[in-house]
Every structure is written in structure tokens, then in C-alpha cells.
Amino acid sequence: MNIISNDNTITLNEVENFNIKQTLECGQAFRFELINDRYKIIAKNKILYVKENTFYTTKKDFEEIWLDYFDLKKDYSLIQNKLCEDSIMKKAIEYGKGIRILNQDKFEMLISFIISQNNRIPMIKKVINNISEKYGTDLGDGYAFPTVEQLSKANINELMECKTGFRAKYIMDALEKVNTLDLNKLDQLPTPELKEKLKEINGVGDKVANCISLFGYGRCDSFPIDVWIKRIMEHFYYNSQDTNKNIITADAIKMFGQYCGYAQQYLFYYAREEKIGK
DNA sequence: TTCCAGGTGCATA
DNA sequence: TATGCACATGGA
């Protein structure tokens, strides 16, 4: 990968396995929108615009923040080659080979995926935006996702006004628990223990804990099973339409091992774009 | 109007 | 341990 920087724009040449659309629209991120031909992304207390392989930012920010955020230091061809041993996965990867797993904020992932339950993606994005506008830092052209301290000022009625619905009580519980359950310290735990700790929060079950550990803690051996993944796994790997989620998880680990998380993202993108199993 | 969405907690058997 | 239901909200 060649990084060409000039005049506050960074262009990546000969970059393999990176596509901004696929990376943002594979279901891991909520704070982005396509404006004309550029994606506007709010993360890391900043607003970033990206068009294809061009990042509108300084060289310093790109190297210190975005290179890691977009996981551009990692060689994805190794991961893809391993996963391609499975013929179905090979097809899914051909479809979304530019997906990168973002390194996102732990607290933001916790609250975002609590909001995601029994909700649609456009609505999830709207609710997260409402919360950011109400409690987050004004960045000029948008609002950062609130910090623990900022969101701790919220009460349940205000959260309901942000359209969180029945999840407002779960967010309140999360805010209470993160006082004693230091999200950064949890990073020292092995993945199974990390998930168990996260599940002590009301409103965090198997699926949400897996999403937080995958997207917030970079635990790529996590395999969140939602309706889409369940549908596509049943469509391709099982005959039954009501396969037990524990069985799907066990089989996914057997097939994809330490690369489960990547496999999950390739499948999710493939399933949603192609509406497979629907 | 009715159904359902990147699920989870709770009651019941 | 397994199953069924309620839960806020809004778009199709």
C-alpha cells in the first residue's frame, strides 16, 4: 500500500482488500452517511470524509488515528485465503472482499448494540444520532458520541425522548454498571470471560455481547448470530429452518476458528445485499 | 390495519 | 433446559 499525502488529502494506492462502502455498510458501524459521493464518518471525536481511497484529513491524523481505526495495518489476504477453503465463504468474500473490521469505541459499541435489539438499521442510526446531538460534543458539522460522563447526565425520560423505546432502562443500567465495570479494564480478560462480564448488564445478551467484543474489543473469534446470519447459515449449511443458535455457534467456530468474526461480516454483507434466505 | 426489525428478560412447565 | 410472550417505535 502506498500512502500519497498532499494538501490535507491522503490517497491510498495499490491498497488491497479495502472498500469504504463495504466496510461501512456491513453492519458494524452506524455513524456514517453518504453525501453526494463522499462518506461522512463520525468517530474518534472527529468528522472524516472519505471518497473511495481518498481520505480528507491530515497526514498526522491519518497515521495516528485512521490507519488503526480502519484496520489498514493488517494483512487481510492471509485471513481471506484461510477462509476461502470453504466454498460458500469463498463466494461471500468475493462479494465483500474490501471489508475491514473497524476498531471502534467500547462504550459506543455497548450503547449502540443495546439500541440495535429488535430494531431496524435506519432507526438505530437515527436513535444514536439523537443521543449524540443531545449529550455529545459539538464537532461543528455533527456531534460526537457522548462519553460515559456526558451520557451519565441523562435520565430515563430524556432517553425515551431520543426514541430509545423499551431499551432506555437497559441504557440506564449500563450507565450504572460502567461505574464499577471499567470497560477498558475488561480488555485484559480472555474473550469468554469478557462476554460474561458484558452480559451482567441488563439488555446485553449473547448477540450484543458478541458484537461488543468483536467491534469494540477486536475479538475476531466472536461470531454474533442475528436474524441475517441465522438465515444465511441455515440457507447454506443446514436444511432445517430452526437450527439452535448454540449449534450454529459451535459449527462456525469449527469451520472458521480464530477468523469467525471476519467470516460473520462477509456473510452479513452478502446476505443483506443479496437478501439471501428472505 | 397489521407486521416486523442486527434481541433480551421473564414467567412458565 | 426449553418455549412463548412483551417490549417502543416507525416504515412498508
Side-chain angles (χ1 to χ4, degrees), chain A residues 38-55:
Chain A
R38 293 182 188 188
Y39 280 101
K40 175 186 176 183
I41 300 147
I42 305 180
K44 300 280 176 186
N45 252 351
K46 295 195 179 273
I47 296 177
L48 172 72
Y49 289 87
V50 181
K51 178 187 175 184
E52 293 172 8
N53 287 352
T54 299
F55 297 68

Side-chain angles (χ1 to χ4, degrees), chain A residues 58-69 73:
Chain A
T58 61
K59 187 165 188 275
K60 183 173 183 288
D61 274 3
F62 182 77
E63 286 175 349
E64 289 178 6
I65 300 171
W66 305 116
L67 208 52
D68 174 68
Y69 180 77
K73 295 173 188 168

Side-chain angles (χ1 to χ4, degrees), chain A residues 26-171:
Chain A
C26 68
Q28 58 179 327
F30 300 108
R31 306 219 63 207
F32 67 90
E33 57 179 319
L34 185 61
I35 302 171
N36 299 320
D37 54 355
R38 293 182 188 188
Y39 280 101
K40 175 186 176 183
I41 300 147
I42 305 180
K44 300 280 176 186
N45 252 351
K46 295 195 179 273
I47 296 177
L48 172 72
Y49 289 87
V50 181
K51 178 187 175 184
E52 293 172 8
N53 287 352
T54 299
F55 297 68
Y56 297 88
T57 184
T58 61
K59 187 165 188 275
K60 183 173 183 288
D61 274 3
F62 182 77
E63 286 175 349
E64 289 178 6
I65 300 171
W66 305 116
L67 208 52
D68 174 68
Y69 180 77
F70 288 99
D71 210 24
L72 288 164
K73 295 173 188 168
K74 198 174 286 170
D75 184 357
Y76 273 59
S77 58
L78 292 174
I79 298 161
Q80 293 180 353
N81 287 341
K82 184 71 193 157
L83 288 174
C84 274
E85 290 171 9
D86 179 271
S87 61
I88 294 159
M89 188 54 64
K90 188 173 182 198
K91 207 169 168 191
I93 291 174
E94 277 166 14
Y95 206 88
K97 76 190 298 284
I99 291 172
R100 296 264 164 174
I101 298 206
L102 300 171
N103 292 305
Q104 301 189 74
D105 180 73
K106 298 171 177 63
F107 179 62
E108 183 175 342
M109 292 300 98
L110 168 62
I111 304 300
S112 297
F113 281 98
I114 285 176
I115 292 167
S116 79
Q117 66 173 267
N118 206 38
N119 215 342
R120 284 172 216 268
I121 290 176
M123 192 60 191
I124 299 166
K125 292 173 78 166
K126 201 178 287 178
V127 174
I128 293 172
N129 214 44
N130 290 343
I131 287 178
S132 301
E133 280 183 5
K134 200 171 173 77
Y135 303 100
T137 304
D138 186 353
L139 299 174
D141 197 15
Y143 291 81
F145 189 84
T147 61
V148 175
E149 292 70 30
Q150 286 172 323
L151 196 55
S152 293
K153 296 193 179 93
N155 64 46
I156 194 157
N157 293 326
E158 290 170 355
L159 288 175
M160 291 291 283
E161 285 168 15
C162 293
K163 305 296 176 191
T164 52
F166 66 90
R167 308 161 196 90
K169 58 181 182 292
Y170 297 150
I171 297 174

